Amino acid sequence: MQYVNISEIHPAKYNPRKLSEEAFVDLQGSLKDLGFILPVIINKDNMTIIAGHQRTKASTKIGLKSVPCFYVSDVQLQDEMQFNLIHNGVEYEPSVNGVSNAKLEEGEFYTDIPNDQFEITESMAAVVKEMCRLILRYGDALCAIVCDGEVLFGNNYVFACQRLDIPVHVYVLPKVKREKYNYY
């Protein structure tokens, strides 16, 4: 994971996601209250945002100059769209969250957590398969969010990492921010 200056990146023309004014204000509040907890994905070849358009826009609105990101290169347009859908896919999360027994410091990003530090009991096979395909082709540009040992977001991603036997990217949400996370 790296940080990129927002002035160096631009949105993709295909990004279909639009937010209502109320949702955009909530997103700004989320960034202020929680910080940037899910890195954006950037096509390094043309500095186009693949996933994280609205968070980047909201970041600019609240005065941030840079955002955490993962880069991918040589990515086909169809796969950019897949990354976008998967990255924003809260609706793809299973109904039961996995657990992590990794001892991690709150408020930190990690890119090297062994996949055996997680127990995922539910996943969506089609989503995991697509994640595996994208990771094998372009590298790992995804991330999970963990709080107090619970995988809040990225259960399918963690399961894909286990299938591929690669380390997991994780942001550790501080316990005191869990209620705010649930709100947003």
Side-chain angles (χ1 to χ4, degrees):
M1 187 191 71
Q2 300 176 32
Y3 282 80
V4 63
N5 290 330
I6 295 172
S7 63
E8 295 176 11
I9 58 179
H10 60 275
K13 293 176 183 170
Y14 60 78
N15 183 42
R17 193 167 197 204
K18 305 291 184 225
L19 296 179
S20 68
E21 185 59 34
E22 181 181 335
F24 188 65
V25 169
D26 278 349
L27 182 56
Q28 292 171 60
S30 169
L31 289 167
K32 289 176 187 174
D33 290 343
L34 302 175
F36 218 103
I37 62 175
L38 191 62
V40 298
I41 302 174
I42 306 290
N43 182 335
K44 192 162 185 149
D45 300 328
N46 56 19
M47 299 305 280
T48 300
I49 300 168
I50 293 174
H53 293 83
Q54 299 304 325
R55 279 174 286 126
T56 302
K57 184 177 169 185
S59 295
T60 300
K61 186 80 171 171
I62 66 170
L64 296 180
K65 302 292 185 216
S66 64
V67 294
C69 73
F70 288 111
Y71 289 108
V72 294
S73 295
D74 299 321
V75 62
Q76 297 174 2
L77 182 59
Q78 179 180 347
D79 288 340
E80 277 192 12
M81 292 180 197
Q82 281 300 107
F83 265 122
N84 184 296
L85 289 171
I86 286 171
H87 180 80
N88 292 321
V90 173
E91 65 275 11
Y92 300 133
E93 284 293 303
S95 59
V96 176
N97 288 338
V99 296
S100 170
N101 57 19
K103 302 297 181 218
L104 306 173
E105 193 164 326
E106 293 181 340
E108 298 292 330
F109 282 104
Y110 294 87
T111 58
D112 60 351
I113 305 305
N115 63 55
D116 65 358
Q117 298 292 298
F118 298 87
E119 183 179 326
I120 304 298
T121 57
E122 283 189 22
S123 63
M124 296 182 75
V127 175
V128 171
K129 179 180 177 182
E130 187 62 14
M131 286 179 170
C132 288
R133 185 186 72 78
L134 291 169
I135 291 169
L136 286 171
R137 186 166 198 167
Y138 302 108
D140 187 1
L142 301 171
C143 188
I145 300 169
V146 173
C147 182
D148 197 23
E150 183 179 359
V151 180
L152 302 179
F153 178 80
N155 289 275
N156 292 311
Y157 160 67
V158 172
F159 195 72
C161 290
Q162 290 173 333
R163 299 290 63 84
L164 297 171
D165 196 25
I166 61 172
V168 180
H169 298 163
V170 175
Y171 175 74
V172 184
L173 182 73
K175 286 183 249 185
V176 298
K177 295 185 177 188
R178 174 69 184 266
E179 195 171 312
K180 284 282 189 181
Y181 175 87
N182 291 341
Y183 170 78
Y184 290 115

